[in-house]
Amino acid sequence: MTPFEKAITWIDAENAQDPNHETYQSETYPKELLYSNRMYQRLLDFQPDASEAVQVATKAQHICRWKMPRESYPMDRVGYLKWREDLKKFHAQTTAGILVDAGYPQEFIDRVSFLIEKKLLKKDAETQLLEDVICLVFLEFYFDPFVQKHDREKMKNIILKTWNKMSEAGHQAALKINFSDSNLDLIKEALGL
């Protein structure tokens, strides 16, 4: 196996241990394995020639996330932001260990960590690509459950924040997602379209 094949196989093996499950199209999956597969597929659809580093970062974006639950931090804005920062480091470190074992050079490992930690968003093209994929996967698969849980004004704020993180290419891809009529209306209202 190549280092890439080893890395992807081992990332999947880690994510397959998620005790949380999600049902999609009548099949049940470990939650983070399903998320990882959605991220990877969306990347390949959105930018098929993405570098190996972006491909690995995409697969490992939420690696072992269940090991650091949101509830283990204060349930306020400061706690949320601290949790998000710690998660990025945790995902990067977990992935780095796998990449060392897979035989990648340190320069490659550092690049993947840089991407997973989302450094230089809006300035680094590959960090931006990863962020676009994250936002597209959220909008396609996780947006509707958010709509069910939050009021209209909060959702409009979430839509704006998501939109502002994306590139123009990301915006174009997002508008091609097959949203329900009511969700599409909500998105258009939030964006003033």
Side-chain angles (χ1 to χ4, degrees):
M1 284 202 306
T2 65
F4 179 74
E5 289 166 336
K6 287 180 189 170
I8 296 304
T9 300
W10 295 342
I11 290 166
D12 282 349
E14 288 295 322
N15 280 329
Q17 295 175 47
D18 189 348
N20 306 297
H21 290 85
E22 186 175 328
T23 302
Y24 178 66
Q25 295 182 339
S26 304
E27 287 216 30
T28 301
Y29 302 88
K31 192 174 171 186
E32 294 308 345
L33 180 62
L34 180 60
Y35 177 81
S36 174
N37 290 339
R38 286 170 167 169
M39 286 284 293
Y40 189 64
Q41 190 55 56
R42 175 47 92 167
L43 174 69
L44 296 182
D45 292 344
F46 183 61
Q47 192 162 322
D49 62 345
S51 74
E52 201 166 303
V54 177
Q55 290 182 49
V56 171
T58 301
K59 281 293 283 181
Q61 180 60 29
H62 276 186
I63 190 167
C64 298
R65 176 164 279 211
W66 68 92
K67 293 182 179 179
M68 194 177 281
R70 170 68 185 96
E71 300 75 42
S72 60
Y73 287 76
M75 296 304 283
D76 56 18
R77 179 101 181 117
V78 173
Y80 173 76
L81 294 173
K82 175 85 172 101
W83 173 67
R84 291 294 301 257
E85 277 310 303
D86 289 352
L87 269 177
K88 287 182 202 172
K89 291 180 184 129
F90 168 72
H91 295 319
Q93 288 164 357
T94 304
T95 306
I98 288 172
L99 298 181
V100 167
D101 292 344
Y104 276 108
Q106 191 59 48
E107 186 179 350
F108 182 88
I109 296 167
D110 291 345
R111 181 64 182 161
V112 171
S113 294
F114 176 96
L115 293 170
I116 290 175
E117 291 186 44
K118 294 200 269 188
K119 293 186 175 173
L120 295 182
L121 184 60
K122 299 282 184 191
K123 295 189 177 93
D124 183 280
E126 290 188 326
T127 302
Q128 185 59 57
L129 172 58
L130 179 61
E131 186 64 41
D132 280 341
V133 172
I134 292 165
C135 292
L136 290 168
V137 167
F138 166 71
L139 289 168
E140 184 171 1
F141 297 105
Y142 303 97
F143 178 70
D144 194 57
F146 262 75
V147 172
Q148 312 304 326
K149 284 194 281 193
H150 300 292
D151 66 61
R152 197 166 182 87
E153 286 310 306
K154 176 151 188 170
M155 281 313 304
K156 281 160 65 174
N157 190 27
I158 289 170
I159 293 163
L160 273 176
K161 282 183 177 171
T162 302
W163 204 253
N164 289 336
K165 291 179 190 172
M166 297 170 80
S167 69
E168 186 52 39
H171 294 160
Q172 296 307 316
L175 291 172
K176 292 177 186 156
I177 292 171
N178 189 17
F179 295 106
S180 69
D181 289 345
S182 60
N183 285 351
L184 185 58
D185 287 345
L186 176 60
I187 289 166
K188 286 181 173 175
E189 185 183 330
L191 301 175
L193 299 175

